[in-house]
Amino acid sequence: MDAQTFLKGLDNIPDLPSLPNIVIKVNQMLQDQETSIKELGKIIETDQAMVSKILRLVNSAFYGFRSKIRNIPHAIIILGFNNVRNAVVSVSIIKTFSGKKHFEGFEIAEFWRHSVAVAVLSRYLSEQTRLDSPDDCFVAGLLHDIGKVVLSQHFTAFFGLVWKSVKEDGSSFYEAEKKLLPVNHAQIGAHLAKKWRFPVSLIDSITYHHKIRNTVSNLSQLVIVHTANSIANKYEVGSDTIPDSSTIDPEAKRIMFRQLETIPEWFPDIATEIESACEFFLKQE
Ligand SMILES: [Fe+2]
Ligand SMILES: [Fe+2]
């Protein structure tokens, strides 16, 4: 089977998760310059579970505001349109992908912990370097491996092959895919993101997160997600050396030089932030 056929097959899966309605509406509204805070607030308020999640998020230590934010319009004023949109996207996507059955042995909770770690690290790296919007980077980090979930839910046999190779010969998921499948999780995730009409920069960051391509529309975002992923995979708390950087692309190493050099200094604080983000995003209601 070649990549084309595989991705076509992906399009024909009837129960492939569709983007939740609220995300589609919020995305549409934000493309319209005229959208008011009141209108956006109204759409979000149609989903009460979402309202309480967003309010919990903006009032959590994660954002660190002193005064209590009581309603969605207030949250939009404080955080801005984009950040509220990104919070809606993050909460919806985790919910959409968490319910279904997965390949046995694939720990979905572990998967989301990794994704949230990469999201928080991406946000941190973008704040430090000021190369891209921290909240856009957060979403890109959260979604970078989403293709793995699709594989584990809908291509169990393929997933099984890769999983076996990861467990038995200790190869990385990405290396095993290269050997065994017509496509990898990055291409699958990007295909889904395209279908969902996500921004090109996000699609590119998903597609090339293992192998940087210099010609993408937003190289900064890609470099941030790529570096965050390598750090999340390799760095261990308490270690005073920088991670084995063999998995980090030379261009990313050049751009992220300062951040990579000082990991032992800043990582403990970020590890705490990752914990509180997991607590918020992954805790079942
Ligand atoms: Fe990946
Ligand atoms: Fe990853």
Side-chain angles (χ1 to χ4, degrees), residues 114 144-145 148 174 185-186 209-210 229 233:
H114 167 71
H144 76 286
D145 273 340
K148 280 189 187 174
Y174 178 64
H185 67 280
H209 74 267
H210 284 283
N229 184 47
N233 283 334

Side-chain angles (χ1 to χ4, degrees), residues 119-129 259 266 270 273:
V120 172
L121 280 161
S122 298
R123 191 175 83 148
Y124 174 78
L125 293 176
S126 81
E127 275 166 359
Q128 292 299 307
T129 54
Q259 284 67 35
W266 57 260
I270 296 303
E273 218 174 280

